[in-house]
Amino acid sequence: MALKAVNVTDVPNLDQVPENNASLSLYSSRFNSEGLELNSEATFKVPKFLVIGHRGHGMNILQSSDSRMKAIKENTILSFNSAAKFPIDFIEFDVQVTKDDCPVIFHDDFIFSEENGTVFEKRVTELSLEEFLCFGPQREAGKQGKSLLRKTKDGKILNWNVETDDSFCTLAETFQKVYPSLGFNIELKFDDHIVYQQDHLIHVLQVILQVVSEHAKDRPIIFSSFHPDAAQLVRKLQNTYPVFFLTNGGTQVYYDVRRNSLEEAIKVCMEGGLQGIVSEVKGVFGNPGAVPRIKESKLSLLTYGKLNNVPEAVCMLHLMGIDGVIVDFVQEISHAVDDMIIKPLNEGLREGDEETETKSKLQFSQQELSFLLKLIPELIQH
């Protein structure tokens, strides 16, 4: 099938977005009758507790001794559909736009490869779609793709070797080939080291929205971005899907102060009419007092990070009122959430137990919970 650049003329610009917010129910197959709602006040309701597969079945950490971090190539159709075999609600993946206006799925800003013994890098957004798809495994039988390397956080260049590999894919293909019951958390990727003009951001977002408009149908979708302007702009450009602001929650410091704390994240959401926050889990555990302030602002709160791969930490997040987790160990965490949270709740609902929600959150007194919330910030510093 030929792939081509999309036409963005049908996507509304900032002056064309209707003032009234449309209402949409986003259905997740794990829940009986409730979905994710974007209501007339533009608040976002998460029905129970979401489990979201990070880059599909989990991100790749090539230097990890844990084989699960190198099981399936991240951000691929294979990874997405492998995650869908478990009781999860969404997959999260990263979208960038090529120079010929095609949204593709890839996390890093640069692709690394080797030719004649020399390692070189290419910025994803400066490649055409055809150039992008030339790296890694190829779909055509007998066709050899360019080698694929990856730069680690400590600067090492490693061969991107995983147990089960797959080809790169576009956003349109992802809509077409991933199980339709699985929700998409579409992260809008921008380079932290580039200052983008608003016109450029709008164009990139319009290209992505055009593909979503053409292919989404009834699929549940959440947009998210670490870029505060992009997050606010995508909220202005459409009012169908909820938008979350991604933040490290104060675990890292950026030049843009809006990215440096949960308090700043709340401001970004309130100023831009966003529906929620996705925070690094350590940012939440290190500042548990921010959680009730987020809830008072009628914002949803999800978390990401390595601690989300620990069932006990996920259970604690549920106790704190967090609405869901983005995880790498999809099988382990989805089953743990089902056993510890979802099944007790559903059983109670069938029995008509009005106190089920309280019981499903384990048995902690307010004093014990207060103690744990004070203890956690101390523990994560060591």
Side-chain angles (χ1 to χ4, degrees), residues 123-315:
R123 183 179 289 278
V124 173
T125 54
E126 293 177 356
L127 295 171
S128 68
L129 174 61
E130 184 179 5
E131 291 169 333
F132 173 77
L133 294 176
C134 281
F135 292 92
Q138 300 294 293
R139 293 170 193 163
E140 296 180 30
K143 186 176 181 180
Q144 184 70 32
K146 295 181 180 179
S147 67
L148 188 60
L149 313 176
R150 193 174 206 181
K151 189 174 184 178
T152 65
K153 287 187 176 181
D154 58 4
K156 295 179 180 177
I157 307 292
L158 302 176
N159 287 314
W160 200 329
N161 294 328
V162 292
E163 184 178 332
T164 308
D165 215 337
D166 196 18
S167 307
F168 288 165
C169 59
T170 67
L171 179 59
E173 288 176 299
T174 304
F175 275 109
Q176 294 162 358
K177 296 179 180 179
V178 174
Y179 296 120
S181 62
L182 195 61
F184 286 176
N185 173 191
I186 300 175
E187 181 183 337
L188 308 164
K189 289 289 294 185
F190 295 94
D191 191 328
D192 291 340
H193 303 99
I194 294 178
V195 177
Y196 295 94
Q197 298 300 311
Q198 186 181 79
D199 287 349
H200 176 76
L201 290 175
I202 290 173
H203 175 75
V204 169
L205 296 173
Q206 285 178 324
V207 170
I208 294 170
L209 288 172
Q210 179 68 27
V211 173
V212 173
S213 175
E214 291 175 356
H215 297 283
K217 298 181 181 178
D218 295 326
R219 190 187 296 272
I221 292 172
I222 299 171
F223 288 112
S224 63
S225 184
F226 281 104
H227 196 297
D229 295 329
Q232 292 181 343
L233 283 170
V234 79
R235 176 70 185 91
K236 291 179 180 178
L237 286 167
Q238 60 82 45
N239 58 9
T240 302
Y241 303 110
V243 181
F244 282 37
F245 179 51
L246 274 157
T247 177
N248 291 101
T251 59
Q252 290 178 265
V253 178
Y254 295 89
Y255 176 77
D256 189 336
V257 296
R258 295 175 295 176
R259 299 185 59 182
N260 289 341
S261 69
L262 288 171
E263 286 72 22
E264 288 294 329
I266 294 172
K267 292 180 185 177
V268 169
C269 291
M270 301 307 291
E271 291 170 1
L274 310 188
Q275 286 75 33
I277 294 169
V278 186
S279 173
E280 215 293 341
V281 60
K282 287 186 177 181
V284 171
F285 280 150
N287 184 12
V291 176
R293 292 194 290 274
I294 291 169
K295 294 299 179 178
E296 289 165 6
S297 301
K298 296 183 178 180
L299 297 171
S300 295
L301 178 59
L302 307 175
T303 62
Y304 72 92
K306 292 181 180 179
L307 282 175
N308 279 359
N309 296 321
V310 180
E312 293 80 6
V314 171
C315 204

Side-chain angles (χ1 to χ4, degrees), residues 27-30 84 88-90 178-184 219-220:
Y27 177 71
S28 169
S29 59
R30 196 177 68 183
I88 66 171
D89 309 287
F90 282 74
V178 174
Y179 296 120
S181 62
L182 195 61
F184 286 176
R219 190 187 296 272

